[in-house]
Amino acid sequence: MAARKHLLSFLPVLALVTGAVAGAVRPEPLGAQAGVVALPMSARHALAEPGISPDGREIAFVSGGDIWSVPAAGGEARLLVSHPAHESRPLYSPDGTSLAFVSTRTGNGDVYLLSLATGDLRRLTWDDAPEMIDGWTPDSSAVIVSSPAREVSSLNDISLVRVAGGTPALLTAEPYTNEFFGAVSPDGATLAFSARGIAAAQWWRHGHSHIDESEIWTLDLSPGASGPMVPRYRQLVARGAKALWPMWGADGRTLYFVSDRSGSENLWVRTPDGTSRAITAFDGGRVLWPSISRSGAIAFEREFGIWTVDVSGGAPRELPIVLRGSPAAPAVDHVRATGQFQSLAVSPDGLKLAFTARGDVFAAGVKDGGDAARLTRTPAAETSLAWAPDSRRLVYAAARGDRRAIYQYDFSTR
């Protein structure tokens, strides 16, 4: 959720620090290297994270960090939400009146709600941790959110956040257990969710890994179902492969999900009798971020495009989509560094703050805060920051290659 930027949506970061441009060191283009010939490439927009409307007529999706919508058959897509920040995971409310999504405009990622009739936009969550929207309750009164705010080591719990406001209500909170991708059944009585492994953060990984193996569980949400200390959990899909993004069928007993248990990532179904089978037969690529309509149409991301398949039968197809609209300015590449700031140093003029996070050097204004400019982007860890007396230069230590040395960054010349 971080906020989770699509792999083809990364853009260089430029930020102003007290009037001077602070930019990252850019790698030399491949075409400029000796012995490498640059070949022309056809441009293609990356389309990601589709959310299909309840009636199955429209699909919202992400491209370039903005949110677009397109008819379910494909065609021209129109721009719904455009902002310099990165927007992700748009999901329609069951009553079709609202669109919930995650935006990094306030930092690590918060849930926002767009009224489709009026265009009004408001913020639903206010936590410092990155939220990930999983779905809605059937009556459209609340959204289901996964967040590491109350767990250790970036593990997730699942909460219910009411559209009317109020404190998020924890639904799952098993200590030291990753619980994510929650989905409430059509009758509102059961929560299905993925658990264990770290696929909530590594959804992008292609190929099998034991650390991505997960399970699917249900939790009884009906009144009186749980005692004060013993929630009623039931395991539906065992570990041994990915088991991600559970989605309920219209009967409230069938579950659809993504798994790589056949070797490649595909959509699977778990029937009421407890058996599971694949409903797509891809032999490569990644199946990501599926969503389902009431009629059983599933929209999903694959090979940087939007695909659909009907659970009643038929072959999956990629939608032809043409973007029509004016996107926002280049997005800000946010790096989550909460709780990892080191080597803090305030400039002599008291206007700037430099720090290291994840081994790189950042700088920001002291007065207003906001986005910090990333000054280094190297494999080495930078440490021991110190400002020059004129507050225009910054020195730091770094081990690059086979030696450790002191480096200087000049804000006036970058």
Side-chain angles (χ1 to χ4, degrees):
M1 267 263 29
R4 297 155 284 127
K5 176 166 286 200
H6 197 281
L7 294 178
L8 289 189
S9 298
F10 287 126
L11 293 173
V13 181
L14 294 178
L16 293 179
V17 179
T18 64
V21 178
V25 177
R26 298 182 182 178
E28 184 181 10
L30 285 177
Q33 297 177 14
V36 179
V37 179
L39 299 178
M41 297 179 63
S42 59
R44 179 182 177 183
H45 292 287
L47 314 178
E49 303 177 39
I52 192 168
S53 61
D55 59 12
R57 296 181 178 179
E58 189 175 51
I59 296 173
F61 63 93
V62 176
S63 184
D66 294 321
I67 296 178
W68 306 71
S69 69
V70 68
E76 289 191 357
R78 61 191 177 101
L79 194 59
L80 282 183
V81 180
S82 183
H83 192 276
H86 186 77
E87 327 292 358
S88 60
R89 195 48 170 163
L91 292 175
Y92 290 91
S93 60
D95 61 13
T97 64
S98 302
L99 187 76
F101 62 94
V102 174
S103 176
T104 61
R105 64 188 67 189
T106 45
N108 282 322
D110 287 293
V111 179
Y112 285 76
L113 188 67
L114 172 69
S115 170
L116 296 173
T118 65
D120 292 338
L121 186 67
R122 62 189 180 91
R123 183 178 175 182
L124 288 186
T125 63
W126 301 81
D127 206 295
D128 289 338
E131 276 102 7
M132 176 169 54
I133 182 170
D134 297 336
W136 288 79
T137 55
D139 60 2
S140 300
S141 67
V143 295
I144 306 301
V145 173
S146 299
S147 170
R150 296 166 182 81
E151 259 288 4
V152 299
S153 300
S154 298
L155 301 179
N156 290 274
D157 293 318
I158 299 174
S159 299
L160 180 147
V161 180
R162 297 202 174 276
V163 170
T167 303
L170 278 174
L171 299 179
T172 68
E174 292 299 309
Y176 314 114
T177 303
N178 204 9
E179 300 152 329
F180 53 99
F181 296 158
V184 179
S185 60
D187 61 4
T190 308
L191 175 75
F193 60 94
S194 296
R196 307 193 191 281
I198 62 172
Q202 292 197 162
W203 53 267
W204 43 264
R205 182 195 288 271
H206 179 48
H208 184 82
S209 171
H210 71 282
I211 57 177
D212 295 332
E213 293 180 0
S214 50
E215 307 159 355
I216 292 180
W217 290 71
T218 59
L219 170 63
D220 194 340
L221 300 177
S222 57
S226 302
M229 299 297 292
V230 186
R232 292 180 58 182
Y233 288 104
R234 180 188 175 202
Q235 188 185 65
L236 298 188
V237 178
R239 206 168 186 179
K242 292 177 182 175
L244 306 173
W245 295 293
M247 300 168 287
W248 291 95
D251 62 1
R253 302 172 62 209
T254 303
L255 270 180
Y256 301 91
F257 60 98
V258 171
S259 180
D260 62 352
R261 62 196 57 228
S262 61
S264 295
E265 294 177 18
N266 278 285
L267 288 168
W268 284 66
V269 59
R270 184 192 183 276
T271 57
D273 63 6
T275 61
S276 297
R277 59 179 174 83
I279 61 174
T280 60
F282 298 117
D283 58 6
R286 301 174 304 163
V287 174
L288 304 168
W289 304 108
S291 61
I292 192 169
S293 71
R294 284 192 294 263
S295 64
I298 295 179
F300 58 96
E301 174 191 342
R302 182 174 183 272
E303 301 294 349
F304 309 120
I306 306 301
W307 295 62
T308 59
V309 67
D310 198 302
V311 300
S312 62
R317 61 183 291 263
E318 183 176 8
L319 302 184
I321 296 176
V322 178
L323 303 183
R324 301 291 189 206
S326 178
V332 176
D333 183 5
H334 283 90
V335 177
R336 183 188 173 204
T338 303
Q340 300 179 23
F341 299 126
Q342 297 175 330
S343 302
L344 297 174
V346 178
S347 61
D349 61 12
L351 299 178
K352 298 176 284 295
L353 172 70
F355 59 91
T356 60
R358 294 188 172 182
D360 282 311
V361 181
F362 294 79
V366 170
K367 181 180 178 181
D368 299 320
D371 293 327
R374 189 172 185 172
L375 307 186
T376 65
R377 192 185 296 265
T378 70
E382 280 80 31
T383 61
S384 307
L385 305 180
W387 288 90
D390 61 7
S391 299
R392 291 182 172 274
R393 291 164 295 153
L394 184 71
V395 294
Y396 55 88
R400 298 177 184 172
D402 58 356
R403 67 191 184 98
R404 185 170 178 81
I406 294 177
Y407 294 82
Q408 176 179 270
Y409 184 92
D410 190 317
F411 286 92
S412 62
T413 63
R414 295 172 50 196

